[in-house]
Amino acid sequence: MKKLASLLLAAAVAAASLFSCSESASGSVSTDGSTSMSSVIGALGEAFENDNPGVTFTYNPTGSGSGITAVSEGRCDIGLSSRALKDEETASGLTGTVLALDGIAIIVNNENPVSDLDTDTIAKIYTGEITNWSEVGGNDGEIVLIGREAGSGTRDGFESITGTEGACQYRQELTSTGDVITTVSTNPNAIGYASLASVKDTVKALTVNGVAPTEETVKDGSYVIQRPFVLVTKTDTALSETAQKFFDYITSADASAIISGAGAVPVN
């Protein structure tokens, strides 16, 4: 009887060990795209690696357009886009899954006395109809328009929401969220836009229509300048086992606290 019990115990231990190994992933998962998603995807990747010591996670911050191209061409497992996929992109065989929501903060230099703008005024500033801060309650000074490069998900989101597509009179078009924030922080007359998840106290985020950009106001829709963070995959091509496990994890409720901690609003 003792021998049978010992054998059963050994079998149970072996089964538990096998189950544990099957639960822990190995291999690699690669992501490419939106620079605005760096805080969120970085935190999720780190957590996944910690839970799966055999996994290597990589993130290439190239911008939304480049990330969509990369997954389409098979150069990464998952593309990252800070805008919804366009009809022609889904028609070409791509699927977009919303991971989280993000407010696009309108940022000015900390020395700027302006604290609130409505969406109509923001549009008039970016299209050149309003050119001096004194016209909107600020100091006398030419407004310096800072934006993102063509193909940026942040730019696409900002321009589509404000109705300024193709009409913005940018002084500088920069290739990353960090560059926009740095440039605005060093120019008292600059205005820019950046992912809420990336905004630091080096710049001032304006209220828009009297509403501050926060997780709560993005989630309830009262902060109107917002866009989705999207995971892009090939519609008819299965992910690798490791990449699928990562995808399932970051789109589950288990990842919500990490997404919130990185400054975005989880949808699950």
Side-chain angles (χ1 to χ4, degrees), residues 141-165:
E142 181 187 0
I143 301 174
V144 178
L145 302 177
I146 308 300
R148 288 291 303 278
E149 81 287 1
S152 159
T154 312
R155 172 169 167 166
D156 184 86
F158 170 80
E159 292 186 356
S160 62
I161 293 164
T162 57
T164 58
E165 299 99 323

Side-chain angles (χ1 to χ4, degrees), residues 17-242:
S17 175
L18 179 62
F19 176 77
S20 176
C21 290
S22 67
E23 287 295 296
S24 180
S26 60
S28 64
V29 54
S30 59
T31 63
D32 188 307
S34 170
T35 63
S36 297
M37 292 177 67
S38 60
S39 296
V40 171
I41 203 68
L44 291 170
E46 181 179 359
F48 189 70
E49 281 186 324
N50 288 340
D51 290 342
N52 300 274
V55 166
T56 300
F57 168 82
T58 58
Y59 160 57
N60 192 18
T62 60
S64 297
S66 296
I68 292 169
T69 300
V71 71
S72 179
E73 295 178 350
R75 292 186 282 109
C76 69
D77 296 308
I78 301 170
L80 307 172
S81 175
S82 49
R83 62 165 173 80
L85 290 181
K86 298 175 182 178
D87 290 343
E88 57 266 31
E89 291 166 342
T90 56
S92 72
L94 297 177
T95 296
T97 303
V98 177
L99 172 69
L101 301 174
D102 178 56
I104 300 176
I106 308 303
I107 58 172
V108 297
N109 188 276
N110 281 326
E111 296 178 14
N112 194 322
V114 174
S115 59
D116 178 77
L117 294 171
D118 60 40
T119 48
D120 184 57
T121 299
I122 292 167
K124 288 179 179 178
I125 287 173
Y126 266 88
T127 56
E129 187 174 340
I130 295 173
T131 60
N132 195 292
W133 282 111
S134 62
E135 298 177 67
V136 292
N139 299 323
D140 181 28
E142 181 187 0
I143 301 174
V144 178
L145 302 177
I146 308 300
R148 288 291 303 278
E149 81 287 1
S152 159
T154 312
R155 172 169 167 166
D156 184 86
F158 170 80
E159 292 186 356
S160 62
I161 293 164
T162 57
T164 58
E165 299 99 323
C168 291
Q169 304 296 306
Y170 296 113
R171 175 77 62 85
Q172 287 181 272
E173 299 177 39
L174 304 174
T175 57
S176 76
T177 296
D179 287 343
V180 172
I181 293 171
T182 298
T183 300
V184 173
S185 73
T186 57
N187 188 332
N189 289 324
I191 185 171
Y193 49 79
S195 166
L196 175 59
S198 302
V199 173
K200 307 292 192 297
D201 58 8
T202 55
V203 292
K204 179 167 67 174
L206 302 180
T207 58
V208 175
N209 304 325
V211 179
T214 67
E215 180 174 333
E216 292 72 23
T217 59
V218 170
K219 196 166 190 174
D220 67 23
S222 58
Y223 185 78
V224 296
I225 304 182
Q226 60 169 279
R227 43 68 188 277
F229 279 167
V230 179
L231 306 174
V232 185
T233 53
K234 285 189 174 181
T235 304
D236 297 322
T237 303
L239 291 170
S240 69
E241 183 178 352
T242 303

